[in-house]
Amino acid sequence: MNINQRNKAIALELWTMLDSDPTRTIPMLDRLVEWQGPEPLGVMQGAEAAIEGMFSPLLRSIPDLKRETHIFMGGASNAQEVEAEDGAHWVAGTGYYTGRAVCEAFGIPATDADLRIRWGEFLRFNTEGHITHAQTIWDFVDWFDQIGLPVLPKPRGTAHVYPAPTAYDGVRGAIDDQAETDQSMALGRGLIFGGLNSFDKSDLGSMGMARFFHPNVKWYGPGGIGACLSLQEFETRHQQPWLVAFPDRKVMHLESLFAEDRLVAASGPMGVVATHTGPYLDQPASQNRIEVSGIDFWLRTGDKFTENWVFVDMIHLFSQMGVDLFARMKAQEVKR
């Protein structure tokens, strides 16, 4: 068993325990340094803090919690702008949690809604196979919307569209073709360190997205932004408003970037830095310097990406703009 297969087996065991009895994972996480959770949970130091701060409250609220995994992959990271492996090995996944809340969680009220909570998670392993760092984003904005407590304007994209990969098994089990992996990594690095960082602050064409995305690319954005079902929709419904708000934004501080077969994944609690100099989702410019906590997965078909699953910690983003989206949710609850 190679390193990646070993790490994926450990990740699967961890997730099985987290979904049934999170406290059982504490011995597995004895080398955990920190777990970056979604805002307002933030960074938790060590296993007990992560379990008590994130996973036990979730399971208490949703006792019939089930995890659907749409993408499951791992690999050696190459997250620096200078092309060289950074020595870290990661496993990542995304999908839905399903179930019904019987009591509040994190201040989110219980309702009779059948929930589909979108999750994305990255686990970093040391050479001995111990998890040392992790990042999780749960789509709280989409969760709020599902229970009738919207906190942002109606998204420009299509809401609640987060499917599994099309005509491809995103749950990678067997050892994959290294040539496919290398091709995926090359395309991912070209997109991130070339196209996304090439905006000239005036013309979207300067980014050359057509070199990386198929014309019919499906871009599954977070709650508040929504899905874009073509390259044209991606550019007009997401990129243009985003770049009006954050024209100097730059991908800089990724923690991971790796590929497996036709999939690419990247993560970073400070993956993008920018200045909020224009309006965004009805929020006027704050002039604040912000850091974007994000998670991405891409599926390559041939020489282009055909699907992109995107997480942005919108709670964290808006807090840096001076807006508390959890407080907005509570205010909506009071009104109804």
Side-chain angles (χ1 to χ4, degrees):
M1 182 180 291
N2 68 21
I3 291 173
N4 190 37
Q5 295 299 97
R6 177 202 67 188
N7 293 346
K8 289 194 293 184
I10 294 168
L12 285 177
E13 182 181 2
L14 175 74
W15 287 347
T16 298
M17 292 184 184
L18 285 175
D19 298 345
S20 58
D21 183 1
T23 59
R24 290 174 56 213
T25 66
I26 291 175
M28 288 184 68
L29 297 171
D30 62 337
R31 306 292 177 86
L32 181 71
V33 177
E34 65 179 36
W35 197 304
Q36 174 81 42
E39 287 295 318
L41 308 182
V43 177
M44 287 149 283
Q45 308 293 332
E48 292 188 12
I51 298 310
E52 288 306 310
M54 292 179 60
F55 297 101
S56 289
L58 183 68
L59 189 59
R60 281 195 296 268
S61 174
I62 310 174
D64 63 342
L65 186 75
K66 290 184 174 56
R67 184 191 299 259
E68 292 182 13
T69 302
H70 298 163
I71 293 175
F72 175 64
M73 59 179 294
S77 178
N78 186 343
Q80 308 303 315
E81 195 161 358
V82 177
E83 187 168 2
E85 287 189 5
D86 51 44
H89 286 264
W90 292 79
V91 173
T94 186
Y96 288 123
Y97 285 124
T98 62
R100 182 173 292 196
V102 300
C103 62
E104 67 86 26
F106 319 114
I108 305 170
T111 70
D112 60 359
D114 291 320
L115 298 169
R116 300 174 73 188
I117 303 166
R118 192 180 184 218
W119 64 270
E121 196 155 282
F122 279 63
L123 307 171
R124 179 173 175 168
F125 289 78
N126 66 14
T127 55
E128 290 79 34
H130 298 283
I131 297 166
T132 62
H133 296 77
Q135 181 184 1
T136 298
I137 295 179
W138 295 330
D139 195 334
F140 282 136
V141 169
D142 191 70
W143 185 347
F144 299 161
D145 201 45
Q146 289 179 53
I147 62 174
L149 299 174
V151 296
L152 290 173
K154 182 179 178 181
R156 294 181 175 93
T158 305
H160 314 303
V161 176
Y162 309 114
T166 303
Y168 180 80
D169 186 356
V171 179
R172 306 313 302 164
I175 297 173
D176 289 305
D177 184 338
Q178 188 61 45
E180 292 276 12
T181 298
D182 291 345
Q183 185 177 353
S184 299
M185 177 63 91
L187 187 63
R189 288 187 58 81
L191 170 66
I192 291 170
F193 297 117
L196 292 180
N197 280 345
S198 299
F199 181 50
D200 65 5
K201 300 187 181 181
S202 62
D203 181 10
L204 280 176
S206 63
M207 303 173 74
M209 289 293 100
R211 290 181 290 142
F212 307 104
F213 284 149
H214 190 278
N216 292 325
V217 67
K218 305 299 182 281
W219 186 91
Y220 310 120
I225 299 177
C228 302
L229 305 181
S230 68
L231 178 56
Q232 181 181 20
E233 283 193 10
F234 166 71
E235 290 185 329
T236 58
R237 298 187 182 185
H238 168 62
Q239 263 198 318
Q240 281 184 345
W242 184 260
L243 293 172
V244 165
F246 312 109
D248 66 345
R249 69 99 186 89
K250 185 174 176 62
V251 181
M252 290 186 66
H253 302 304
L254 292 180
E255 279 201 338
S256 72
L257 173 61
F258 55 95
E260 186 172 14
D261 199 62
R262 287 168 48 198
L263 291 166
V264 180
S267 67
M270 301 178 292
V272 174
V273 296
T275 311
H276 179 214
T277 56
Y280 190 63
L281 302 185
D282 290 351
Q283 183 62 26
S286 65
Q287 307 303 325
N288 292 342
R289 191 71 171 161
I290 64 161
E291 297 167 343
V292 181
S293 180
I295 283 174
D296 269 272
F297 298 87
W298 297 266
L299 174 65
R300 177 184 58 81
T301 304
D303 62 354
K304 300 284 176 67
F305 288 127
T306 49
E307 291 181 277
N308 185 188
W309 295 258
V310 181
F311 288 78
V312 174
D313 189 337
M314 299 292 276
I315 309 299
H316 179 247
L317 176 66
F318 272 77
S319 70
Q320 297 171 86
M321 294 156 56
V323 179
D324 184 338
L325 294 184
F326 262 76
R328 276 191 185 178
M329 179 270 294
K330 298 301 285 185
Q332 291 288 95
E333 184 186 11
V334 169
K335 289 179 183 178
R336 70 180 184 184

